[in-house]
Amino acid sequence: MSSSVAPPAQPTALYGGTGGRRVTVRDIAAAKERHEKWPMLTAYDALTARIFDEAGIPVLLVGDSAAMVVYGYDSTIPVTVDDLIPLAAAVVRGSKRAMVVADLPFGSYQTGVPEALSAATRFLKETGAHAIKVEGGRRILPQVEAMVSAGIPVMGHLGLTPQSVNVFGGYRVQGRGQAGEELMADAKALEASGAFSVVLECVPEDLAARVTSSLSIPTIGIGGGNQTDAQVLVWQDMAGLTPHTAKFVKKFADIGTVLGDAARSYAEEVVSGAYPAPEHTYH
């Protein structure tokens, strides 16, 4: 062999890796092969997208959870494609390396293939998002297959699918007993239809582990234990901005208290006349 032949490049870690390009579905698949765990966070604006991107988070999800944490609704159901498109565009503009995945909101894909293709195409063309996420298993396979065939990477979502909260009768653990076998069948069907990953939300840990070992595509847990390939949290939950959270949420900071204290300090200095001080004033 010629000594001029360069050795094969070492794989770049998904979390915290560096490089001059975006993370792709191939990078995510390679991480699964290496048994490398990785984090995903939601993002809804350019500022937080930049912070998370610079922190090395490899995948940012513009979730329909924006309905609650951005728009103030009590569920994800009211948010629309038009609501989410400006948020997804901002996240793409604010990040450089992370793959940006956009949620297709309730009503934008369930009715059929043409609607799903139309909504997904808008996200890729108008925002620059790199993939979309949809909730459901075998009942939406025609939509998944059509989007993948059209060149749109699809992330699935099983278990507690918040867009179906009215069917579930609330936010409850899913996949116990026979329902676990149904979820497994849905996961395998999504993989066969071309989905590049699947979120498992609020499912028993043993089921999430079994699904993870049964699939060649990565699983992303949220309330599914620590045996999935990746984990995702809503960033406001993770950072302590949300007053009431689910059992699976760990608060890694208390930004709510910090922000409240800052607002009160600012207000007190304005009222007392201490702010703006001479160093904050033009002369």
Side-chain angles (χ1 to χ4, degrees):
M1 180 182 291
S2 170
S3 60
S4 63
V5 176
Q10 294 299 310
T12 300
L14 202 56
Y15 163 63
T18 59
R21 62 170 178 81
R22 295 276 185 176
V23 170
T24 70
V25 295
R26 291 185 65 184
D27 297 318
I28 291 172
K32 169 99 174 181
E33 293 176 2
R34 297 193 301 267
H35 305 287
E36 177 190 328
K37 291 182 177 288
W38 48 274
M40 180 166 80
L41 283 173
T42 63
Y44 314 96
D45 61 79
L47 178 62
T48 51
R50 177 184 61 80
I51 293 170
F52 298 154
D53 191 60
E54 291 178 353
I57 304 299
V59 183
L60 297 176
L61 172 65
V62 186
D64 59 1
S65 47
M68 295 174 283
V69 298
V70 175
Y71 292 110
Y73 296 112
D74 60 3
S75 77
T76 64
I77 292 173
V79 79
T80 67
V81 170
D82 287 337
D83 290 332
L84 294 181
I85 277 184
L87 309 187
V91 171
V92 172
R93 290 193 295 266
S95 58
K96 294 181 179 179
R97 179 178 179 264
M99 171 192 285
V100 177
V101 181
D103 252 336
L104 291 194
F106 180 74
S108 67
Y109 62 95
Q110 288 92 341
T111 53
V113 168
E115 293 78 10
L117 282 173
S118 176
T121 299
R122 284 194 64 190
F123 275 104
L124 268 64
K125 288 178 69 69
E126 297 179 32
T127 76
H130 312 107
I132 60 90
K133 182 172 77 65
V134 290
E135 296 182 5
R138 284 163 288 177
R139 61 185 173 84
I140 61 162
L141 291 189
Q143 292 93 315
V144 173
E145 291 169 351
M147 287 186 285
V148 172
S149 295
I152 302 169
V154 176
M155 176 182 286
H157 186 152
L158 297 172
L160 174 58
T161 47
Q163 293 175 10
S164 301
V165 64
N166 289 329
V167 173
F168 295 148
Y171 297 96
R172 303 172 183 271
V173 174
Q174 304 295 313
R176 290 189 170 122
Q178 181 58 34
E181 301 309 311
E182 296 295 324
L183 188 146
M184 175 69 79
D186 281 335
K188 290 182 175 180
L190 284 170
E191 178 182 44
S193 297
F196 73 90
S197 58
V198 59
V199 173
L200 301 175
E201 181 169 358
C202 283
V203 300
E205 182 179 36
D206 60 341
L207 174 61
R210 195 154 57 92
V211 172
T212 299
S213 64
S214 298
L215 300 184
S216 62
I217 60 174
T219 59
I220 304 160
I222 177 168
N226 66 3
Q227 298 304 304
T228 53
D229 298 299
Q231 297 289 330
V232 62
L233 284 175
V234 172
W235 86 258
Q236 290 92 338
D237 293 348
M238 176 275 298
L241 279 173
T242 310
H244 305 291
T245 58
K247 176 183 179 180
F248 59 77
V249 172
K250 178 178 178 178
K251 295 184 178 182
F252 290 83
D254 189 6
I255 302 301
T257 297
V258 171
L259 195 57
D261 289 345
R264 282 184 286 271
S265 296
Y266 161 71
E268 288 165 4
E269 290 198 13
V270 169
V271 170
S272 70
Y275 176 82
E279 63 265 28
H280 306 120
T281 306
Y282 297 104
H283 298 286

